[in-house]
Every structure is written in C-alpha cells, then in structure tokens.
Amino acid sequence: MAASSVKAARGWPVLALGVRNRLLRLPGLTQVRWSRYGPEYKDPQIDKEYYRKPLAELTEHEKDDLELRKTQHIKAAPATKTSSVFDDPVISKFTNMIMKGGNKVLARSLMTQTLEAVKRKQFEKYHAASAEERATIERNPYTIFHQALKNCEPVIGLVPILRGGHFYQVPVPLADRRRRFLAMKWMITECREKKHRRMLMPEKLSHELLEAFHNQGPVIKKKHDMHKMAEANRALAHYRWW
Amino acid sequence: MMLSRVTRLISGARRLDPGRFLDTGSQGSRSLAAHPGNQAPDDRPRAVSRTSEKDPARHAEQHEGLHYDIPLQDMRTLFPHSLPPRFSMQVKTFSEACLMVRKPALELLRYLKNTNFAHPAVRSVLSGDVFFNPSALDGEKGTGKTLSLCHVIHFCAKQDWLILHVPDAHLWVKNCRGLLPSTHNRQRLDQPIQASIWLKNFKTTNDRFLSQIKVQEKYVWNKQESTEKGSPLGEVVEQGITRVKNATDAVGVVLKELKGQSRAGRFRLLVAVDGVNALWGRTTLKREDKSLVAAEELALVHNLRKMVKNDWHGGAIVLTLSQTGSLFKPRTAYLPQELLGKEGFDALDPFVPILVSNYNRKEFESCIQYYLENSWLQHEKAHTEEGKQQLLFLSSANPGQLERLCAHL
C-alpha cells in the first residue's frame, strides 16, 4: 500500500495492515479510548444458532453475509463473552463494575453469591406464604435483577452547562446506555458505602435488589431525587442546544 | 390400567436417544415428576428422581440414583451438630432433607447387613480410587463421601445401633482455643470445648442407650466427685458436660466403656468418623511456649485412635478420608496412601476402600430432575437440553460443583 511504503521509505517501522496510527492524522488530539483494530475488522458472531441454521433455510442476504465473513478480518472474541446459554450481557456489565483492581474472580463470585442470596430469600418467603400469595412471589433471581435495575433507571438527568461564567444544572434526556450505567452505579455505590462494616456485599446487594424490585429503598429514592431536581430546574431547559 | 401405562413408558424409552433414563423399578415406590394422568403415545418418559422408600434397610439397586427423604425431627436427633454447610442450607431452603441413594452407600449397607458380629469390627473407609480387599470410603473433593456416611448412619439408627459419630475430626486438630494439660496423663493435652460439644451431641443422638449401659469401673474426677461402678453411662456424660474441665476424660471413659461392652452383644456400635486422616496428620495447635503439638499428644485424638483400631467385636467402623478440612495436604490428594501417610495407613490396615466417584449419567439426570421438581433451577434456559449439557460440562458431574452451579442459576 502507498502509505506503508511511504513509512518504510522514511525509515519508520511499518505497522501491520489494519493497525491505525491516528496520531498522524490529527496532531493536536490524542485518543483516550481507541481500538487497535482498523475499521475493516468486523465483530465476531458468538451466537451458536447463527451457525446451526441449515443452508436451505438461509435467505439470500444471510448467504451473502456468510460468504463475506469468510474473507473479512474478524476481531478476536473477548474472553468474557461466551456462547453459553447462561450468558447475560447485563450481568457481565454489572460484574465488571463491581470488579476492583482487575479481580474478576472475586467480582464474579460476589455476583453469583448475590443471585443465590436473592433466590434463597425469595424461597423462604414463598414457603412462608399462603397459596394466593405464592403466585405473586417471583423466585427467578435474573428477572428480579433485571427488573430492579430497570426500576432504578432515571428518565431524565442533569448536565452542568457553562453560561456566563457559571455552571447551571440543566435537565437533559439521557441515552439508554447512560441510564443503565447510572442505575448500576448508584446500586453499587449505595451497597458499598451504606452498609455495616461487617456485612458482606452479597447480603447487602441482595437486600437492595429486592427493595428496588418492589420500587422501594434508597436507590429508588435517589432516582426520584434526580427527577425532582430536574423538575425544579425546568426553567433552565432552554440552555440545552442538542 | 397400570400395566398398560408401564408398557407404554417402556416402549417410549426404547424409541428415544440414550440420553433419557427411565427407572423401571417396583411399581409402588415411584412418584412421577409430571401428572401421572396424561400418557399420550408419543410421550417422553419423564426422568424420576424420588422414591417413597423411607427405610434405608430396604434400599437396593433399583433405588440407585433416586432421592429419599429423611424426616426433619430425625435429622435433629441424628445430626445435632451441623451437617456440611451447603447441605444444611439446602435442607433449610427446601424444608426437606433428601439424600440420593448411591452405589458406595449401598455397598456399605450390604456389608453391614451381612456382618458377622463375632469377628473383629469390619472397617470401611470412605476413600479413593484403589480397590484393596478391605473397604473404605474416599474420593475426590465434592463427590459425596460425607453424605454417604450420613446415609449409613441413618440406616444404623433405624436398626437401633449406638452411633458414635465424629462429624469432622479436622476440627479437633486446628483452631482450638483453651488447651489444658490433661488431668489424667501429664504429657497429653485436653480440649475442653470440643469435648463438651461432642458429648452434648452424643447425648442427643443416643439418649435411650445412656441409661441402659452401666459403667464397669469406678472413676474419680476430683476430690468431691466420682462415678461408682454400675451407674449408668448418662452420668459420665453429664459430668463431662457440666464440668467442662473433665470433658476430655469423660469422652475417654465413654469410648473405653463402649468398646469394652460392645462385645457383650447388648447393643451394636457404629463408629463413624469423618475426616479420619486428621488423626494421623499434623496439627496447627501450639502450646503457650509456641511449641507445636503433635497429633498423638491430644487426648481426644489418642482415644479416638484406640477406638478406630481393629481389636473389638460387636460393631462396625465407617470412616471417611477428606482433603477438604485437612492440613498441609495438596488439593489433588484423595488416595488413602496420600491422605493418611505411612503411619495412618499402617494403623488402619487392613481396611476396605470404597470409591465414591462423580455422578454417572443416570444420577446426574436424577439430580437435575430433583432440582427441577423443587423449582430450584429458575433460569429459563436451565430447563432445556442445551442448558443441561452445559451444566454437565461445567460441573463434570461432580456433585459438589453441580450444587454450587445450580445455586445461582
């Protein structure tokens, strides 16, 4: 390629095909989060069902896709993404947020212990309840986890905007990923800070998740506080330009 | 009607892939997982996991892989100390205690039923891989040695034996506070707390025997107290529980009396020790002058070693070798030679080793079915065939690992 031959002529080490050096393009700016993969690298297809479909059932579009993938560059699959049926992206993200210092083993064991604690508490309630109440008690820790985090997501958020030398907290609609992040962050911070010194994280987390599932508890309160602040600062909404 | 149902189930089994197992045991002792009513012709035979046979004496090969439950008040008398922690959590969550009937336990029960009590006590050690002529219970971590021992204890309790159960011998050689020099023998050390706890549990399990068995000698505890010859064994136990300082000596007396009197034939004695390799291993206990204590310097260990020796009649000894609580043993060690060391192996020789291995296909299916019946597997994908295969792969059919996996799924 012309670019790599130019680099070789100037005596610089020729980088492998696809690895970009964007510094050359924008001298003033450094990338904080960037990937060593170039744009031609496609994401790997982890789903087993995609490959199990017999050839006869595929549409034209899918057949072309399959042919194209044979010649394209594919990124390596990350170690955390599995083709297991029990794989859950929300749980993985939450586990990564719990992780401290790269200790994924500990974070994952805390997560599994939390799910187990939630399950055991719900089973206790189930056995103690009467026949009519039993139908309403949810025992699946995964549905409880997902529902609790969904209940904790704020609808509207505040963003500091600089106007006339002062920062104003302006109410702003949040993207989906920002909402999910905030819900998880609040949950983890709450459990880390507001627990007794000797209480273990799974116990506290399971308690908070169950409360959030029933729309109670400190994390839901934090979401409501955020909504109230946004309501109070309604007048500043026109500072937003996007 | 019943016959046509059974024949339809059997023909259904032949049509399917070898992954499905059907227990075609006795008609009366089954409870089908789904409604027994709908028997469509293309019905897949449901794997069964429970049997209604509650008496361990009648467990046989047809019950292999099935769960039977122990009534909870029996659990409180038989196992007053704690069971393995994960099992006791399961008992609490499900409000029932179900054990799986497996081959090693059935083998042991067969030996116990056929024992000729005139011969010296047959020693069965729940241990590893090697099949010597004697028998023993061992296996790798998490294969079910302790629960097989519990099955055997339940059987013996139902047959009205006297049960001497040491739940975990490792607890006697580590983390003991309050070691005292022994009153009986100056060189040895007492463990008052451990001994008194054990005496309390012994009393709960064997209450009815304590008034019947009479002590054969006079024992003097201190200047004021002594136990006369011919008084019931319950007094010795009471003495140990109330006067904690003499608890270890009380334990020694109890063991000596039981060993001496079991040959008389009035009762049968079962000595069940879990983690017997602790008796011949190293300890982590230190005296006040920071010098290490060897295992034989502990009075409890010394007395228990005498109990486990092969020189008395009228009972049986069932032992378990366990790496889980052991000290200074690598995680992969499970054979009797590795865990007991030369000294222990020679002391226990001859014994009958019984291997406890991972679940086979049928037992695995039964275990999954049991969890499904109790709605323990809540993940929606866990009910599918793919989910089951993944569980099998991840746990490699190890019962302990499977339990831990299913706990959070």
Side-chain angles (χ1 to χ4, degrees):
Chain A
M1 281 226 324
S4 51
S5 58
V6 161
K7 281 187 224 158
R10 288 188 193 173
W12 293 345
V14 177
L15 300 167
L17 179 71
V19 175
R20 333 209 274 143
N21 201 339
R22 292 187 211 188
L23 282 172
L24 285 177
R25 301 219 191 136
L26 300 163
L29 295 169
T30 27
Q31 295 277 336
V32 176
R33 241 182 264 139
W34 58 289
S35 159
R36 297 289 288 185
Y37 288 120
E40 60 275 3
Y41 276 77
K42 302 294 168 208
D43 284 315
Q45 176 63 262
I46 308 263
D47 184 22
K48 274 196 267 195
E49 298 306 315
Y50 182 84
Y51 296 109
R52 275 192 196 151
K53 267 198 261 185
L55 223 55
E57 276 184 32
L58 296 176
T59 61
E60 281 306 314
H61 182 70
E62 283 173 342
K63 281 197 189 126
D64 291 335
D65 231 2
L66 216 58
E67 284 299 317
L68 203 58
R69 287 182 85 82
K70 287 182 191 167
T71 49
Q72 276 173 338
H73 291 284
I74 312 266
K75 295 183 198 172
T80 46
K81 213 159 171 238
T82 57
S83 55
S84 155
V85 291
F86 304 123
D87 188 41
D88 191 342
V90 184
I91 301 262
S92 310
K93 184 62 89 177
F94 197 76
T95 319
N96 286 338
M97 288 178 74
I98 295 179
M99 172 167 63
K100 271 193 194 173
N103 195 347
K104 180 77 106 166
V105 172
L106 182 62
R108 206 175 133 153
S109 71
L110 288 175
M111 193 70 223
T112 52
Q113 283 169 37
T114 308
L115 292 169
E116 191 186 330
V118 164
K119 207 178 182 186
R120 283 195 201 264
K121 284 185 191 170
Q122 290 299 91
F123 263 76
E124 251 184 71
K125 266 190 236 170
Y126 184 86
H127 286 307
S130 60
E132 308 87 47
E133 288 171 44
R134 277 186 183 185
T136 54
I137 294 181
E138 175 63 57
R139 286 186 287 177
N140 188 340
Y142 293 85
T143 41
I144 293 179
F145 180 78
H146 289 127
Q147 190 57 45
L149 284 185
K150 226 186 297 221
N151 290 349
C152 293
E153 282 176 15
V155 166
I156 192 167
L158 294 169
V159 155
I161 290 188
L162 181 63
R163 276 283 210 145
H166 295 278
F167 280 99
Y168 296 99
Q169 294 289 331
V170 174
V172 131
L174 297 171
D176 261 341
R177 56 176 186 273
R178 177 77 187 155
R179 287 198 271 154
R180 283 194 286 265
F181 171 77
L182 280 175
M184 291 197 238
K185 185 84 186 171
W186 288 342
M187 179 66 79
I188 294 174
T189 329
E190 170 67 36
C191 291
R192 276 185 186 155
E193 286 166 14
K194 301 272 173 52
K195 65 175 172 71
H196 183 64
R197 189 179 56 90
R198 295 294 294 246
M199 192 190 265
L200 295 169
M201 184 69 161
E203 206 185 311
K204 175 76 178 175
L205 239 188
S206 57
H207 183 251
E208 292 306 325
L209 281 171
L210 282 169
E211 288 206 312
F213 178 70
H214 294 291
N215 271 315
Q216 292 158 356
V219 193
I220 300 285
K221 183 169 171 299
K222 190 148 181 181
K223 172 184 92 157
H224 289 324
D225 287 343
M226 171 81 117
H227 286 175
K228 279 185 211 148
M229 285 254 290
E231 185 64 33
N233 286 7
R234 256 170 64 162
L236 306 170
H238 62 275
Y239 281 176
R240 179 171 66 96
W241 64 84
W242 63 88
Chain B
M1 188 58 204
M2 197 58 178
L3 194 59
S4 64
R5 263 191 224 156
V6 169
T7 42
R8 224 181 279 160
L9 286 171
I10 296 172
S11 57
R14 285 209 205 103
R15 252 184 281 133
L16 287 183
D17 57 317
R20 291 246 163 254
F21 283 90
L22 178 69
D23 178 51
T24 53
S26 58
Q27 256 91 326
S29 64
R30 260 192 292 160
S31 59
L32 290 181
H35 304 291
N38 42 350
Q39 295 287 319
D42 56 344
D43 213 9
R44 293 183 337 157
R46 288 149 181 104
V48 290
S49 71
R50 281 188 206 249
T51 170
S52 50
E53 186 58 74
K54 295 224 202 267
D55 187 7
R58 290 204 286 267
H59 285 158
E61 270 74 27
Q62 74 241 39
H63 297 114
E64 206 181 298
L66 302 183
H67 293 84
Y68 83 99
D69 70 338
I70 308 181
L72 284 173
Q73 52 268 40
D74 281 356
M75 290 294 279
R76 257 175 297 204
T77 35
L78 283 179
F79 307 111
H81 55 84
S82 50
L83 291 159
R86 289 207 73 94
F87 185 66
S88 53
M89 276 201 289
Q90 186 181 300
V91 168
K92 187 163 164 258
T93 308
F94 292 167
S95 336
E96 62 175 5
C98 273
L99 286 185
M100 193 194 273
V101 178
R102 295 181 74 194
K103 256 211 196 58
L106 285 175
E107 202 181 318
L108 263 178
L109 292 183
R110 207 174 41 239
Y111 291 156
L112 287 175
K113 281 183 222 173
N114 304 341
T115 314
N116 183 349
F117 287 102
H119 291 193
V122 171
R123 238 187 326 217
S124 312
V125 176
L126 283 164
S127 74
D129 201 42
V130 189
F131 278 103
F132 306 147
N133 280 327
S135 56
L137 271 181
D138 43 283
E140 288 168 340
K141 187 169 159 140
T143 42
K145 307 179 281 289
T146 308
L147 289 187
S148 299
L149 193 70
C150 294
H151 190 175
V152 171
I153 292 177
H154 186 218
F155 164 76
C156 293
K158 274 274 162 64
Q159 305 281 306
D160 224 20
W161 290 35
L162 205 159
I163 300 176
L164 203 94
H165 181 41
V166 177
D168 195 358
H170 293 295
L171 295 175
W172 289 359
V173 298
K174 58 180 178 176
N175 300 339
C176 297
R177 315 203 64 192
L179 287 175
L180 299 170
S182 170
T183 40
H184 183 71
N185 185 336
R186 275 286 118 187
Q187 272 90 34
R188 293 207 272 260
L189 290 170
D190 257 359
Q191 284 154 297
I193 310 171
Q194 279 75 31
S196 61
I197 295 171
W198 186 83
L199 279 172
K200 270 190 237 155
N201 294 334
F202 180 72
K203 188 170 154 203
T204 324
T205 320
N206 300 306
D207 227 344
R208 58 191 186 289
F209 286 103
L210 292 179
S211 43
Q212 295 164 13
I213 303 173
K214 306 284 182 227
V215 175
Q216 309 246 315
E217 274 178 35
K218 182 174 154 140
Y219 296 104
V220 178
W221 304 110
N222 49 33
K223 285 205 200 78
Q224 284 91 19
E225 288 160 20
S226 66
T227 315
E228 300 299 322
K229 179 171 162 180
S231 50
L233 200 62
E235 272 191 31
V236 176
V237 176
E238 281 303 324
Q239 176 72 27
I241 296 176
T242 41
R243 289 260 177 275
V244 180
K245 263 188 84 171
N246 296 332
T248 318
D249 293 328
V251 171
V253 163
V254 163
L255 293 182
K256 192 168 115 188
E257 289 297 321
L258 290 175
K259 192 164 161 181
Q261 295 195 18
S262 63
R263 57 188 78 202
R266 253 172 293 131
F267 59 85
R268 298 210 205 130
L269 179 61
L270 172 76
V271 178
V273 184
D274 201 331
V276 77
N277 46 322
L279 302 183
W280 285 279
R282 287 162 63 183
T283 70
T284 46
L285 303 175
K286 294 201 178 106
R287 294 196 192 85
E288 279 89 25
D289 54 356
K290 308 282 175 76
S291 59
L292 277 173
V293 176
E296 48 271 353
E297 288 172 28
L298 292 164
L300 279 178
V301 170
H302 181 85
N303 292 329
L304 199 58
R305 277 193 198 181
K306 282 195 283 191
M307 201 66 196
V308 164
K309 232 157 84 100
N310 206 357
D311 52 5
W312 51 277
H313 314 293
I317 312 176
V318 183
L319 309 168
T320 308
L321 295 178
S322 128
Q323 189 279 331
T324 310
S326 68
L327 297 162
F328 307 106
K329 290 279 181 244
R331 197 178 170 280
T332 44
Y334 70 98
L335 296 168
Q337 189 76 38
E338 293 163 354
L339 285 175
L340 287 170
K342 185 169 181 317
E343 202 194 320
F345 197 85
D346 291 333
L348 279 186
D349 213 9
F351 63 89
V352 183
I354 301 179
L355 171 66
V356 183
S357 52
N358 291 335
Y359 283 151
N360 55 25
R361 215 40 226 274
K362 179 172 173 219
E363 288 171 340
F364 178 79
E365 294 280 345
S366 167
C367 188
I368 297 282
Q369 195 57 37
Y370 173 65
Y371 286 142
L372 287 172
E373 274 174 30
N374 283 59
S375 337
W376 188 232
L377 287 174
Q378 287 278 328
H379 200 285
E380 53 283 343
K381 290 288 165 71
H383 302 259
T384 60
E385 194 51 49
E386 175 105 31
K388 267 191 231 169
Q389 281 177 6
Q390 270 186 15
L391 284 175
L392 179 62
F393 173 71
L394 287 171
S395 64
S396 73
N398 183 296
Q401 279 295 87
L402 182 64
E403 198 270 315
R404 269 160 222 267
L405 271 177
C406 295
H408 63 83
L409 275 177

